[in-house]
Amino acid sequence: MLNNQFKRHRRLRTSPAMRSLVRETHVTVDDLIYPLFVVEGDNIKNEVPSMPGVFQLSLDYLADEMKEVMELGIKAVMLFGVPEEKDETGTGAFSDHGIVQEATKLIKQEVPDLLVIADTCLCEYTSHGHCGVIEHEDVVNDASLELLAKTAVSQAKAGADIIAPSNMMDGFVIVIRQALDEAGFEQIPIMSYAVKYASAFYGPFRDAADSTPSFGDRKTYQMDPTNRLEALREAESDVDEGADFLIVKPALAYLDIVREVKDNFNLPIVAYNVSGEYAMVKAAAQQGWIDEQAIVMEKLTAMKRAGADLILTYFAKDAATWLQKS
Ligand code: PBG
């Protein structure tokens, strides 16, 4: 009999209700983290040219933006700082009145329930745009660690709920963990950019954060895009050093890595849907070439299916809005 010769998979696709019943992967607003660029100065709301819909915001605009984020049900934001002045060692990153510290204080005062994740890096604050201290045109690992630890402690003092080190120096998790503990912040988790590739997908971010390196590139500290085992080594070190979350970045071209990290470690995994991934969708959508909402939701679902527990995405507000309507 024909009926015994093949399986009827289409039975489970016959109606929206049937498809919904057997759906394996769900994106919810609880999965989303919204990255934000906070800038020193007043009355600044600059749209980033390569990231339509993403703005550099001064503090006077921040409270309203945060209320909108809360109303959409988003639970966490990730803060990146854009200082007025930069210097050789990036002192703006660890100043108690730095832009991320001030933004954090404001958010914690205005919308205390919103979680603030502080990106802990130096590249937005250094005159050369690298993520650490430079000697002989090289980024020096251990000297950079000290500054990173200072940055983390000052962010925690300002009220940050989670510290997210992203500069890819070896040992950054343990050094930050120790510094936070010594300063009495043993309850503050570390969301480590454990697996961060040297990727061309960060281009638009560097416009937004004004952090393009003035010489060379980041290939001596960020990972080679061809490597898989190296991702497991990086993640393993961060787990050993005390990380509480592991970020894989970028997301889309690295979904295989998201899956590997998820299968090998038992911490919450965060996929970072980075700036270039956002820019490509926006550009095509502006041309009318794709259905933006459908594409974005498909991508976010793919990240979850690959094993991400959380997604850092510039589409967080859009996705939250669409999810409310669906
Ligand atoms: C800072 C940092 C970068 C991104 C997040 N943190 C830029 C970089 O490493 O060059 C990129 C995020 C994005 O592209 O959306 N080190």
Side-chain angles (χ1 to χ4, degrees), residues 24-25 195 197 228 231-232 246 248-267 269-271 301-309:
E24 297 177 32
T25 308
V195 179
Y197 288 93
R228 182 178 73 85
L232 297 177
L246 299 174
V248 175
K249 176 180 171 197
L252 271 190
Y254 299 86
L255 291 183
D256 56 330
I257 305 296
V258 173
R259 170 51 60 196
E260 293 249 22
V261 173
K262 174 70 178 175
D263 286 348
N264 280 281
F265 303 97
N266 59 13
L267 293 178
I269 307 299
V270 188
T301 306
M303 291 169 205
K304 295 256 354 236
R305 197 188 58 235
D309 298 288

PDB file of all heavy atoms in Angstrom, residues 24-25 195 197 228 231-232 246 248-267 269-271 301-309:
ATOM      1  N   GLU A  24       8.742  24.280  17.558  1.00  0.00           N
ATOM      2  CA  GLU A  24       9.812  23.851  18.470  1.00  0.00           C
ATOM      3  C   GLU A  24      10.568  25.005  19.102  1.00  0.00           C
ATOM      4  O   GLU A  24      11.216  24.854  20.134  1.00  0.00           O
ATOM      5  CB  GLU A  24      10.815  22.981  17.698  1.00  0.00           C
ATOM      6  CG  GLU A  24      10.220  21.701  17.147  1.00  0.00           C
ATOM      7  CD  GLU A  24      11.231  20.920  16.320  1.00  0.00           C
ATOM      8  OE1 GLU A  24      12.434  20.978  16.621  1.00  0.00           O
ATOM      9  OE2 GLU A  24      10.812  20.260  15.355  1.00  0.00           O
ATOM     10  N   THR A  25      10.592  26.155  18.416  1.00  0.00           N
ATOM     11  CA  THR A  25      11.440  27.258  18.873  1.00  0.00           C
ATOM     12  C   THR A  25      10.617  28.527  18.976  1.00  0.00           C
ATOM     13  O   THR A  25       9.851  28.837  18.049  1.00  0.00           O
ATOM     14  CB  THR A  25      12.584  27.504  17.862  1.00  0.00           C
ATOM     15  OG1 THR A  25      13.239  26.269  17.619  1.00  0.00           O
ATOM     16  CG2 THR A  25      13.586  28.510  18.375  1.00  0.00           C
ATOM     17  N   VAL A 195      33.583  34.307  23.058  1.00  0.00           N
ATOM     18  CA  VAL A 195      33.946  33.904  21.697  1.00  0.00           C
ATOM     19  C   VAL A 195      33.645  35.082  20.775  1.00  0.00           C
ATOM     20  O   VAL A 195      32.506  35.312  20.399  1.00  0.00           O
ATOM     21  CB  VAL A 195      33.134  32.665  21.276  1.00  0.00           C
ATOM     22  CG1 VAL A 195      33.480  32.266  19.854  1.00  0.00           C
ATOM     23  CG2 VAL A 195      33.375  31.509  22.246  1.00  0.00           C
ATOM     24  N   TYR A 197      34.911  36.948  17.336  1.00  0.00           N
ATOM     25  CA  TYR A 197      35.739  36.851  16.133  1.00  0.00           C
ATOM     26  C   TYR A 197      36.146  38.230  15.622  1.00  0.00           C
ATOM     27  O   TYR A 197      35.411  39.211  15.802  1.00  0.00           O
ATOM     28  CB  TYR A 197      34.959  36.098  15.047  1.00  0.00           C
ATOM     29  CG  TYR A 197      34.832  34.626  15.345  1.00  0.00           C
ATOM     30  CD1 TYR A 197      33.725  34.122  16.017  1.00  0.00           C
ATOM     31  CD2 TYR A 197      35.848  33.737  14.993  1.00  0.00           C
ATOM     32  CE1 TYR A 197      33.614  32.773  16.317  1.00  0.00           C
ATOM     33  CE2 TYR A 197      35.748  32.381  15.287  1.00  0.00           C
ATOM     34  CZ  TYR A 197      34.632  31.902  15.949  1.00  0.00           C
ATOM     35  OH  TYR A 197      34.533  30.566  16.247  1.00  0.00           O
ATOM     36  N   ARG A 228      37.122  26.873  15.009  1.00  0.00           N
ATOM     37  CA  ARG A 228      36.053  26.284  15.800  1.00  0.00           C
ATOM     38  C   ARG A 228      36.589  25.791  17.154  1.00  0.00           C
ATOM     39  O   ARG A 228      36.036  26.092  18.200  1.00  0.00           O
ATOM     40  CB  ARG A 228      35.475  25.106  15.010  1.00  0.00           C
ATOM     41  CG  ARG A 228      34.336  24.392  15.645  1.00  0.00           C
ATOM     42  CD  ARG A 228      33.843  23.285  14.715  1.00  0.00           C
ATOM     43  NE  ARG A 228      34.780  22.182  14.671  1.00  0.00           N
ATOM     44  CZ  ARG A 228      34.801  21.187  15.558  1.00  0.00           C
ATOM     45  NH1 ARG A 228      33.957  21.164  16.543  1.00  0.00           N
ATOM     46  NH2 ARG A 228      35.683  20.215  15.448  1.00  0.00           N
ATOM     47  N   ALA A 231      37.327  28.433  19.602  1.00  0.00           N
ATOM     48  CA  ALA A 231      36.145  28.965  20.292  1.00  0.00           C
ATOM     49  C   ALA A 231      35.894  28.171  21.565  1.00  0.00           C
ATOM     50  O   ALA A 231      35.572  28.734  22.620  1.00  0.00           O
ATOM     51  CB  ALA A 231      34.928  28.895  19.373  1.00  0.00           C
ATOM     52  N   LEU A 232      36.081  26.866  21.494  1.00  0.00           N
ATOM     53  CA  LEU A 232      35.862  26.026  22.676  1.00  0.00           C
ATOM     54  C   LEU A 232      36.930  26.300  23.741  1.00  0.00           C
ATOM     55  O   LEU A 232      36.641  26.324  24.937  1.00  0.00           O
ATOM     56  CB  LEU A 232      35.847  24.546  22.278  1.00  0.00           C
ATOM     57  CG  LEU A 232      34.703  24.169  21.315  1.00  0.00           C
ATOM     58  CD1 LEU A 232      34.797  22.697  20.910  1.00  0.00           C
ATOM     59  CD2 LEU A 232      33.340  24.451  21.944  1.00  0.00           C
ATOM     60  N   LEU A 246      27.988  33.371  28.546  1.00  0.00           N
ATOM     61  CA  LEU A 246      28.972  33.352  27.452  1.00  0.00           C
ATOM     62  C   LEU A 246      28.348  33.964  26.205  1.00  0.00           C
ATOM     63  O   LEU A 246      27.293  33.508  25.750  1.00  0.00           O
ATOM     64  CB  LEU A 246      29.387  31.909  27.129  1.00  0.00           C
ATOM     65  CG  LEU A 246      30.045  31.112  28.263  1.00  0.00           C
ATOM     66  CD1 LEU A 246      30.267  29.661  27.812  1.00  0.00           C
ATOM     67  CD2 LEU A 246      31.369  31.753  28.680  1.00  0.00           C
ATOM     68  N   VAL A 248      28.565  34.711  22.149  1.00  0.00           N
ATOM     69  CA  VAL A 248      29.188  34.353  20.875  1.00  0.00           C
ATOM     70  C   VAL A 248      28.867  35.482  19.903  1.00  0.00           C
ATOM     71  O   VAL A 248      27.721  35.899  19.769  1.00  0.00           O
ATOM     72  CB  VAL A 248      28.647  33.021  20.315  1.00  0.00           C
ATOM     73  CG1 VAL A 248      29.218  32.742  18.930  1.00  0.00           C
ATOM     74  CG2 VAL A 248      28.956  31.878  21.268  1.00  0.00           C
ATOM     75  N   LYS A 249      29.896  35.944  19.213  1.00  0.00           N
ATOM     76  CA  LYS A 249      29.740  37.151  18.410  1.00  0.00           C
ATOM     77  C   LYS A 249      30.636  37.120  17.187  1.00  0.00           C
ATOM     78  O   LYS A 249      31.811  36.788  17.356  1.00  0.00           O
ATOM     79  CB  LYS A 249      30.124  38.316  19.336  1.00  0.00           C
ATOM     80  CG  LYS A 249      30.131  39.656  18.696  1.00  0.00           C
ATOM     81  CD  LYS A 249      30.511  40.691  19.721  1.00  0.00           C
ATOM     82  CE  LYS A 249      30.716  41.988  18.984  1.00  0.00           C
ATOM     83  NZ  LYS A 249      31.435  42.941  19.720  1.00  0.00           N
ATOM     84  N   PRO A 250      30.180  37.487  15.982  1.00  0.00           N
ATOM     85  CA  PRO A 250      28.802  37.769  15.604  1.00  0.00           C
ATOM     86  C   PRO A 250      27.907  36.522  15.716  1.00  0.00           C
ATOM     87  O   PRO A 250      28.378  35.441  16.069  1.00  0.00           O
ATOM     88  CB  PRO A 250      28.926  38.191  14.134  1.00  0.00           C
ATOM     89  CG  PRO A 250      30.352  38.509  13.899  1.00  0.00           C
ATOM     90  CD  PRO A 250      31.109  37.647  14.865  1.00  0.00           C
ATOM     91  N   ALA A 251      26.638  36.695  15.326  1.00  0.00           N
ATOM     92  CA  ALA A 251      25.695  35.585  15.473  1.00  0.00           C
ATOM     93  C   ALA A 251      25.498  34.819  14.169  1.00  0.00           C
ATOM     94  O   ALA A 251      25.755  33.622  14.082  1.00  0.00           O
ATOM     95  CB  ALA A 251      24.348  36.110  15.974  1.00  0.00           C
ATOM     96  N   LEU A 252      25.052  35.521  13.141  1.00  0.00           N
ATOM     97  CA  LEU A 252      24.523  34.829  11.956  1.00  0.00           C
ATOM     98  C   LEU A 252      25.516  33.934  11.232  1.00  0.00           C
ATOM     99  O   LEU A 252      25.196  32.809  10.872  1.00  0.00           O
ATOM    100  CB  LEU A 252      23.966  35.842  10.969  1.00  0.00           C
ATOM    101  CG  LEU A 252      22.507  36.209  11.150  1.00  0.00           C
ATOM    102  CD1 LEU A 252      22.054  37.026   9.971  1.00  0.00           C
ATOM    103  CD2 LEU A 252      21.644  34.974  11.329  1.00  0.00           C
ATOM    104  N   ALA A 253      26.713  34.458  11.002  1.00  0.00           N
ATOM    105  CA  ALA A 253      27.697  33.663  10.272  1.00  0.00           C
ATOM    106  C   ALA A 253      28.356  32.630  11.193  1.00  0.00           C
ATOM    107  O   ALA A 253      29.231  31.876  10.766  1.00  0.00           O
ATOM    108  CB  ALA A 253      28.745  34.567   9.634  1.00  0.00           C
ATOM    109  N   TYR A 254      27.937  32.610  12.474  1.00  0.00           N
ATOM    110  CA  TYR A 254      28.582  31.751  13.475  1.00  0.00           C
ATOM    111  C   TYR A 254      27.568  30.913  14.252  1.00  0.00           C
ATOM    112  O   TYR A 254      27.809  30.559  15.399  1.00  0.00           O
ATOM    113  CB  TYR A 254      29.428  32.631  14.421  1.00  0.00           C
ATOM    114  CG  TYR A 254      30.518  33.358  13.668  1.00  0.00           C
ATOM    115  CD1 TYR A 254      30.267  34.591  13.052  1.00  0.00           C
ATOM    116  CD2 TYR A 254      31.782  32.791  13.505  1.00  0.00           C
ATOM    117  CE1 TYR A 254      31.246  35.237  12.314  1.00  0.00           C
ATOM    118  CE2 TYR A 254      32.771  33.433  12.770  1.00  0.00           C
ATOM    119  CZ  TYR A 254      32.491  34.651  12.172  1.00  0.00           C
ATOM    120  OH  TYR A 254      33.466  35.280  11.445  1.00  0.00           O
ATOM    121  N   LEU A 255      26.467  30.577  13.618  1.00  0.00           N
ATOM    122  CA  LEU A 255      25.436  29.802  14.328  1.00  0.00           C
ATOM    123  C   LEU A 255      25.931  28.399  14.682  1.00  0.00           C
ATOM    124  O   LEU A 255      25.497  27.811  15.670  1.00  0.00           O
ATOM    125  CB  LEU A 255      24.147  29.725  13.502  1.00  0.00           C
ATOM    126  CG  LEU A 255      23.383  31.045  13.343  1.00  0.00           C
ATOM    127  CD1 LEU A 255      22.088  30.810  12.560  1.00  0.00           C
ATOM    128  CD2 LEU A 255      23.064  31.681  14.678  1.00  0.00           C
ATOM    129  N   ASP A 256      26.858  27.892  13.876  1.00  0.00           N
ATOM    130  CA  ASP A 256      27.448  26.584  14.210  1.00  0.00           C
ATOM    131  C   ASP A 256      28.203  26.681  15.539  1.00  0.00           C
ATOM    132  O   ASP A 256      28.174  25.762  16.362  1.00  0.00           O
ATOM    133  CB  ASP A 256      28.380  26.097  13.086  1.00  0.00           C
ATOM    134  CG  ASP A 256      29.483  27.092  12.744  1.00  0.00           C
ATOM    135  OD1 ASP A 256      29.273  28.318  12.894  1.00  0.00           O
ATOM    136  OD2 ASP A 256      30.578  26.657  12.343  1.00  0.00           O
ATOM    137  N   ILE A 257      28.851  27.818  15.743  1.00  0.00           N
ATOM    138  CA  ILE A 257      29.623  28.008  16.981  1.00  0.00           C
ATOM    139  C   ILE A 257      28.676  28.190  18.172  1.00  0.00           C
ATOM    140  O   ILE A 257      28.930  27.691  19.271  1.00  0.00           O
ATOM    141  CB  ILE A 257      30.568  29.238  16.842  1.00  0.00           C
ATOM    142  CG1 ILE A 257      31.464  29.087  15.598  1.00  0.00           C
ATOM    143  CG2 ILE A 257      31.390  29.441  18.102  1.00  0.00           C
ATOM    144  CD1 ILE A 257      32.424  27.931  15.635  1.00  0.00           C
ATOM    145  N   VAL A 258      27.579  28.894  17.949  1.00  0.00           N
ATOM    146  CA  VAL A 258      26.573  29.038  19.016  1.00  0.00           C
ATOM    147  C   VAL A 258      26.147  27.641  19.478  1.00  0.00           C
ATOM    148  O   VAL A 258      26.103  27.334  20.674  1.00  0.00           O
ATOM    149  CB  VAL A 258      25.340  29.845  18.527  1.00  0.00           C
ATOM    150  CG1 VAL A 258      24.232  29.828  19.589  1.00  0.00           C
ATOM    151  CG2 VAL A 258      25.728  31.283  18.191  1.00  0.00           C
ATOM    152  N   ARG A 259      25.866  26.784  18.534  1.00  0.00           N
ATOM    153  CA  ARG A 259      25.437  25.419  18.868  1.00  0.00           C
ATOM    154  C   ARG A 259      26.520  24.660  19.637  1.00  0.00           C
ATOM    155  O   ARG A 259      26.265  23.991  20.635  1.00  0.00           O
ATOM    156  CB  ARG A 259      25.038  24.676  17.570  1.00  0.00           C
ATOM    157  CG  ARG A 259      24.804  23.192  17.691  1.00  0.00           C
ATOM    158  CD  ARG A 259      23.855  22.770  18.796  1.00  0.00           C
ATOM    159  NE  ARG A 259      22.514  23.339  18.663  1.00  0.00           N
ATOM    160  CZ  ARG A 259      21.605  23.370  19.659  1.00  0.00           C
ATOM    161  NH1 ARG A 259      21.893  22.857  20.849  1.00  0.00           N
ATOM    162  NH2 ARG A 259      20.429  23.915  19.469  1.00  0.00           N
ATOM    163  N   GLU A 260      27.758  24.773  19.174  1.00  0.00           N
ATOM    164  CA  GLU A 260      28.864  24.048  19.846  1.00  0.00           C
ATOM    165  C   GLU A 260      29.046  24.533  21.272  1.00  0.00           C
ATOM    166  O   GLU A 260      29.263  23.740  22.192  1.00  0.00           O
ATOM    167  CB  GLU A 260      30.186  24.319  19.108  1.00  0.00           C
ATOM    168  CG  GLU A 260      30.234  23.737  17.742  1.00  0.00           C
ATOM    169  CD  GLU A 260      31.221  22.593  17.646  1.00  0.00           C
ATOM    170  OE1 GLU A 260      31.551  21.990  18.690  1.00  0.00           O
ATOM    171  OE2 GLU A 260      31.644  22.321  16.526  1.00  0.00           O
ATOM    172  N   VAL A 261      28.990  25.832  21.438  1.00  0.00           N
ATOM    173  CA  VAL A 261      29.206  26.381  22.777  1.00  0.00           C
ATOM    174  C   VAL A 261      28.051  25.953  23.686  1.00  0.00           C
ATOM    175  O   VAL A 261      28.248  25.546  24.828  1.00  0.00           O
ATOM    176  CB  VAL A 261      29.390  27.914  22.715  1.00  0.00           C
ATOM    177  CG1 VAL A 261      29.443  28.516  24.109  1.00  0.00           C
ATOM    178  CG2 VAL A 261      30.680  28.259  21.961  1.00  0.00           C
ATOM    179  N   LYS A 262      26.849  26.014  23.144  1.00  0.00           N
ATOM    180  CA  LYS A 262      25.680  25.582  23.932  1.00  0.00           C
ATOM    181  C   LYS A 262      25.808  24.116  24.355  1.00  0.00           C
ATOM    182  O   LYS A 262      25.497  23.741  25.477  1.00  0.00           O
ATOM    183  CB  LYS A 262      24.417  25.781  23.074  1.00  0.00           C
ATOM    184  CG  LYS A 262      23.158  25.264  23.692  1.00  0.00           C
ATOM    185  CD  LYS A 262      22.728  26.106  24.877  1.00  0.00           C
ATOM    186  CE  LYS A 262      21.427  25.609  25.481  1.00  0.00           C
ATOM    187  NZ  LYS A 262      21.102  26.360  26.689  1.00  0.00           N
ATOM    188  N   ASP A 263      26.264  23.277  23.431  1.00  0.00           N
ATOM    189  CA  ASP A 263      26.337  21.843  23.726  1.00  0.00           C
ATOM    190  C   ASP A 263      27.483  21.485  24.676  1.00  0.00           C
ATOM    191  O   ASP A 263      27.475  20.428  25.293  1.00  0.00           O
ATOM    192  CB  ASP A 263      26.507  21.037  22.425  1.00  0.00           C
ATOM    193  CG  ASP A 263      25.210  20.982  21.622  1.00  0.00           C
ATOM    194  OD1 ASP A 263      24.149  21.363  22.173  1.00  0.00           O
ATOM    195  OD2 ASP A 263      25.255  20.564  20.450  1.00  0.00           O
ATOM    196  N   ASN A 264      28.478  22.358  24.747  1.00  0.00           N
ATOM    197  CA  ASN A 264      29.655  22.026  25.555  1.00  0.00           C
ATOM    198  C   ASN A 264      29.699  22.675  26.930  1.00  0.00           C
ATOM    199  O   ASN A 264      30.512  22.283  27.771  1.00  0.00           O
ATOM    200  CB  ASN A 264      30.932  22.389  24.794  1.00  0.00           C
ATOM    201  CG  ASN A 264      31.279  21.327  23.765  1.00  0.00           C
ATOM    202  OD1 ASN A 264      31.829  20.288  24.119  1.00  0.00           O
ATOM    203  ND2 ASN A 264      30.912  21.562  22.512  1.00  0.00           N
ATOM    204  N   PHE A 265      28.879  23.701  27.137  1.00  0.00           N
ATOM    205  CA  PHE A 265      28.929  24.414  28.423  1.00  0.00           C
ATOM    206  C   PHE A 265      27.518  24.623  28.936  1.00  0.00           C
ATOM    207  O   PHE A 265      26.574  24.718  28.156  1.00  0.00           O
ATOM    208  CB  PHE A 265      29.659  25.759  28.252  1.00  0.00           C
ATOM    209  CG  PHE A 265      31.033  25.593  27.707  1.00  0.00           C
ATOM    210  CD1 PHE A 265      31.270  25.742  26.343  1.00  0.00           C
ATOM    211  CD2 PHE A 265      32.080  25.221  28.537  1.00  0.00           C
ATOM    212  CE1 PHE A 265      32.540  25.535  25.823  1.00  0.00           C
ATOM    213  CE2 PHE A 265      33.349  25.014  28.024  1.00  0.00           C
ATOM    214  CZ  PHE A 265      33.581  25.169  26.660  1.00  0.00           C
ATOM    215  N   ASN A 266      27.401  24.699  30.269  1.00  0.00           N
ATOM    216  CA  ASN A 266      26.048  24.779  30.808  1.00  0.00           C
ATOM    217  C   ASN A 266      25.677  26.164  31.334  1.00  0.00           C
ATOM    218  O   ASN A 266      24.841  26.291  32.213  1.00  0.00           O
ATOM    219  CB  ASN A 266      25.838  23.691  31.871  1.00  0.00           C
ATOM    220  CG  ASN A 266      26.834  23.829  33.002  1.00  0.00           C
ATOM    221  OD1 ASN A 266      27.510  24.860  33.103  1.00  0.00           O
ATOM    222  ND2 ASN A 266      26.943  22.826  33.849  1.00  0.00           N
ATOM    223  N   LEU A 267      26.315  27.200  30.786  1.00  0.00           N
ATOM    224  CA  LEU A 267      25.937  28.564  31.171  1.00  0.00           C
ATOM    225  C   LEU A 267      24.958  29.131  30.150  1.00  0.00           C
ATOM    226  O   LEU A 267      24.874  28.636  29.023  1.00  0.00           O
ATOM    227  CB  LEU A 267      27.193  29.459  31.181  1.00  0.00           C
ATOM    228  CG  LEU A 267      28.237  29.137  32.248  1.00  0.00           C
ATOM    229  CD1 LEU A 267      29.432  30.076  32.083  1.00  0.00           C
ATOM    230  CD2 LEU A 267      27.641  29.277  33.634  1.00  0.00           C
ATOM    231  N   ILE A 269      23.778  31.111  27.139  1.00  0.00           N
ATOM    232  CA  ILE A 269      24.525  31.516  25.944  1.00  0.00           C
ATOM    233  C   ILE A 269      23.824  32.720  25.307  1.00  0.00           C
ATOM    234  O   ILE A 269      22.597  32.715  25.133  1.00  0.00           O
ATOM    235  CB  ILE A 269      24.580  30.365  24.911  1.00  0.00           C
ATOM    236  CG1 ILE A 269      25.113  29.070  25.547  1.00  0.00           C
ATOM    237  CG2 ILE A 269      25.409  30.766  23.688  1.00  0.00           C
ATOM    238  CD1 ILE A 269      26.492  29.134  26.107  1.00  0.00           C
ATOM    239  N   VAL A 270      24.629  33.708  24.951  1.00  0.00           N
ATOM    240  CA  VAL A 270      24.087  34.933  24.361  1.00  0.00           C
ATOM    241  C   VAL A 270      24.631  35.072  22.950  1.00  0.00           C
ATOM    242  O   VAL A 270      25.852  35.036  22.749  1.00  0.00           O
ATOM    243  CB  VAL A 270      24.523  36.177  25.175  1.00  0.00           C
ATOM    244  CG1 VAL A 270      23.797  37.420  24.682  1.00  0.00           C
ATOM    245  CG2 VAL A 270      24.307  35.966  26.667  1.00  0.00           C
ATOM    246  N   ALA A 271      23.753  35.218  21.963  1.00  0.00           N
ATOM    247  CA  ALA A 271      24.211  35.486  20.597  1.00  0.00           C
ATOM    248  C   ALA A 271      24.166  36.989  20.371  1.00  0.00           C
ATOM    249  O   ALA A 271      23.167  37.634  20.710  1.00  0.00           O
ATOM    250  CB  ALA A 271      23.299  34.790  19.589  1.00  0.00           C
ATOM    251  N   THR A 301      14.829  33.729  15.378  1.00  0.00           N
ATOM    252  CA  THR A 301      14.428  32.341  15.661  1.00  0.00           C
ATOM    253  C   THR A 301      15.586  31.383  15.376  1.00  0.00           C
ATOM    254  O   THR A 301      15.827  30.431  16.136  1.00  0.00           O
ATOM    255  CB  THR A 301      13.200  31.955  14.807  1.00  0.00           C
ATOM    256  OG1 THR A 301      12.180  32.928  15.024  1.00  0.00           O
ATOM    257  CG2 THR A 301      12.669  30.582  15.176  1.00  0.00           C
ATOM    258  N   ALA A 302      16.317  31.649  14.304  1.00  0.00           N
ATOM    259  CA  ALA A 302      17.457  30.781  13.959  1.00  0.00           C
ATOM    260  C   ALA A 302      18.514  30.821  15.065  1.00  0.00           C
ATOM    261  O   ALA A 302      19.135  29.797  15.382  1.00  0.00           O
ATOM    262  CB  ALA A 302      18.066  31.224  12.629  1.00  0.00           C
ATOM    263  N   MET A 303      18.701  31.995  15.659  1.00  0.00           N
ATOM    264  CA  MET A 303      19.698  32.103  16.744  1.00  0.00           C
ATOM    265  C   MET A 303      19.255  31.272  17.946  1.00  0.00           C
ATOM    266  O   MET A 303      20.053  30.575  18.570  1.00  0.00           O
ATOM    267  CB  MET A 303      19.888  33.568  17.141  1.00  0.00           C
ATOM    268  CG  MET A 303      20.568  34.368  16.044  1.00  0.00           C
ATOM    269  SD  MET A 303      20.513  36.142  16.355  1.00  0.00           S
ATOM    270  CE  MET A 303      20.665  36.731  14.658  1.00  0.00           C
ATOM    271  N   LYS A 304      17.956  31.334  18.248  1.00  0.00           N
ATOM    272  CA  LYS A 304      17.450  30.522  19.355  1.00  0.00           C
ATOM    273  C   LYS A 304      17.555  29.033  19.028  1.00  0.00           C
ATOM    274  O   LYS A 304      17.944  28.231  19.853  1.00  0.00           O
ATOM    275  CB  LYS A 304      15.990  30.881  19.665  1.00  0.00           C
ATOM    276  CG  LYS A 304      15.804  32.256  20.164  1.00  0.00           C
ATOM    277  CD  LYS A 304      15.552  32.472  21.651  1.00  0.00           C
ATOM    278  CE  LYS A 304      15.360  31.368  22.599  1.00  0.00           C
ATOM    279  NZ  LYS A 304      14.098  31.470  23.337  1.00  0.00           N
ATOM    280  N   ARG A 305      17.203  28.688  17.798  1.00  0.00           N
ATOM    281  CA  ARG A 305      17.260  27.269  17.392  1.00  0.00           C
ATOM    282  C   ARG A 305      18.690  26.745  17.478  1.00  0.00           C
ATOM    283  O   ARG A 305      18.939  25.583  17.804  1.00  0.00           O
ATOM    284  CB  ARG A 305      16.706  27.129  15.969  1.00  0.00           C
ATOM    285  CG  ARG A 305      16.322  25.717  15.583  1.00  0.00           C
ATOM    286  CD  ARG A 305      15.977  25.635  14.106  1.00  0.00           C
ATOM    287  NE  ARG A 305      17.077  26.075  13.290  1.00  0.00           N
ATOM    288  CZ  ARG A 305      17.014  27.048  12.360  1.00  0.00           C
ATOM    289  NH1 ARG A 305      15.886  27.678  12.101  1.00  0.00           N
ATOM    290  NH2 ARG A 305      18.085  27.390  11.687  1.00  0.00           N
ATOM    291  N   ALA A 306      19.662  27.634  17.194  1.00  0.00           N
ATOM    292  CA  ALA A 306      21.066  27.236  17.260  1.00  0.00           C
ATOM    293  C   ALA A 306      21.536  27.058  18.704  1.00  0.00           C
ATOM    294  O   ALA A 306      22.633  26.547  18.939  1.00  0.00           O
ATOM    295  CB  ALA A 306      21.928  28.281  16.547  1.00  0.00           C
ATOM    296  N   GLY A 307      20.728  27.522  19.657  1.00  0.00           N
ATOM    297  CA  GLY A 307      21.102  27.292  21.056  1.00  0.00           C
ATOM    298  C   GLY A 307      21.237  28.540  21.908  1.00  0.00           C
ATOM    299  O   GLY A 307      21.554  28.453  23.097  1.00  0.00           O
ATOM    300  N   ALA A 308      21.023  29.701  21.309  1.00  0.00           N
ATOM    301  CA  ALA A 308      21.140  30.926  22.112  1.00  0.00           C
ATOM    302  C   ALA A 308      19.991  30.996  23.116  1.00  0.00           C
ATOM    303  O   ALA A 308      18.842  30.726  22.772  1.00  0.00           O
ATOM    304  CB  ALA A 308      21.104  32.147  21.201  1.00  0.00           C
ATOM    305  N   ASP A 309      20.330  31.362  24.347  1.00  0.00           N
ATOM    306  CA  ASP A 309      19.293  31.596  25.355  1.00  0.00           C
ATOM    307  C   ASP A 309      18.845  33.046  25.305  1.00  0.00           C
ATOM    308  O   ASP A 309      17.704  33.363  25.628  1.00  0.00           O
ATOM    309  CB  ASP A 309      19.850  31.280  26.745  1.00  0.00           C
ATOM    310  CG  ASP A 309      20.257  29.823  26.849  1.00  0.00           C
ATOM    311  OD1 ASP A 309      19.357  28.970  26.900  1.00  0.00           O
ATOM    312  OD2 ASP A 309      21.471  29.534  26.837  1.00  0.00           O
TER     313      ASP A 309
END
